[in-house]
Amino acid sequence: MDKDFNPEFMKRAIQLSRKASIEEKTGGVFGAVVVKDGKIIAEGYNQVIKHKDPTWHAEMQAIREACKKLGTPHLKGCQIYTSAECCPMCLATAYWAHVDKIYYGATTEDALKYGDFADIDILDEIRKDPKDRRIQTKEHMRPEAVKVWIEFSEMPDRARY
C-alpha cells in the first residue's frame, strides 16, 4: 500500500457514495474528497439524477469546491480519494486541476458489472478517429474563430492557466 494513503479519507469517499446511491438516490455509487495537507478540504457525491446534470459527478463537485476554497483553478499538493475509478470527464478534470494523486476504490469494470456504468464505451469513443465517433464533429468558420485566438495571444494581460 502507498505510504501516503489514508484509509479514513477513502472511508469518507465510500460513505459519500452510499449517500448518493442508496440514501438520497441522487445518482450513482460515487463519492469523492479532496485532501490537502492531511485534511479534507472538499467533498462531493454523485447528483446527476437530482440536478439532471450529467456533469454532477462526485469528483467534479469536490474539485470545484476545493478550487473555490483555495481560490485557484489548480490543486497542486492535493490528492483525490474517490470511491470508484474516475470516468474520462473526471480524470481529465483532475489533470486540468493539476492534482498530485488519485486514490480509488472500485474499478471501472466494477461500475460496469454492478451498475451498468459504461465508461468503457466513452473511452473507446475517445480513442477513435474523430470521423469514426458516434458524435460527429465538423469544423466551420475557422478563420473567424482563429482571429479571436490571435487577438487573445497578443494580450499581455491574457488569462493564463
Side-chain angles (χ1 to χ4, degrees):
M1 189 178 293
D2 188 319
K3 67 177 178 64
D4 297 322
F5 174 79
N6 184 325
E8 293 306 311
F9 300 142
M10 184 61 77
K11 285 178 187 173
R12 182 59 185 152
I14 293 168
Q15 287 172 345
L16 290 165
S17 78
R18 172 176 284 283
K19 180 178 181 176
S21 60
I22 295 171
E23 295 169 12
E24 293 186 7
K25 297 181 178 121
T26 57
V29 191
F30 305 101
V33 298
V34 175
V35 173
K36 184 172 177 77
D37 299 327
K39 293 186 175 88
I40 294 174
I41 62 166
E43 297 183 340
Y45 61 97
N46 190 289
Q47 296 182 55
V48 167
I49 301 302
K50 178 181 180 180
H51 294 289
K52 297 166 185 58
D53 179 347
T55 69
W56 206 297
H57 290 198
E59 299 91 339
M60 298 290 285
Q61 181 183 13
I63 289 169
R64 286 178 183 135
E65 294 301 319
C67 289
K68 274 194 248 177
K69 185 171 187 174
L70 297 176
T72 176
H74 298 137
L75 299 176
K76 279 295 225 189
C78 294
Q79 306 82 42
I80 296 175
Y81 285 74
T82 178
S83 64
E85 196 171 1
C86 291
C87 75
M89 175 182 65
C90 293
L91 183 59
T93 302
Y95 274 97
W96 279 110
H98 301 182
V99 300
D100 289 357
K101 194 174 277 190
I102 299 171
Y103 298 106
Y104 63 89
T107 65
T108 300
E109 288 76 19
D110 295 327
L112 180 61
K113 180 177 180 180
Y114 299 110
D116 296 323
F117 287 93
D119 293 343
I120 294 169
D121 294 347
I122 296 169
L123 288 171
D124 290 342
E125 281 291 307
I126 291 169
R127 289 183 186 115
K128 290 179 184 177
D129 185 293
K131 70 178 179 358
D132 297 327
R133 291 181 185 154
R134 187 176 63 236
I135 297 174
Q136 294 295 300
T137 59
K138 306 274 185 193
E139 178 187 303
H140 290 283
M141 298 181 67
R142 182 173 176 221
E144 293 87 345
V146 171
K147 184 178 178 185
V148 180
W149 277 103
I150 292 167
E151 186 178 343
F152 176 77
S153 74
E154 295 168 351
M155 293 173 53
D157 62 341
R158 71 179 183 257
R160 296 178 190 271
Y161 57 94

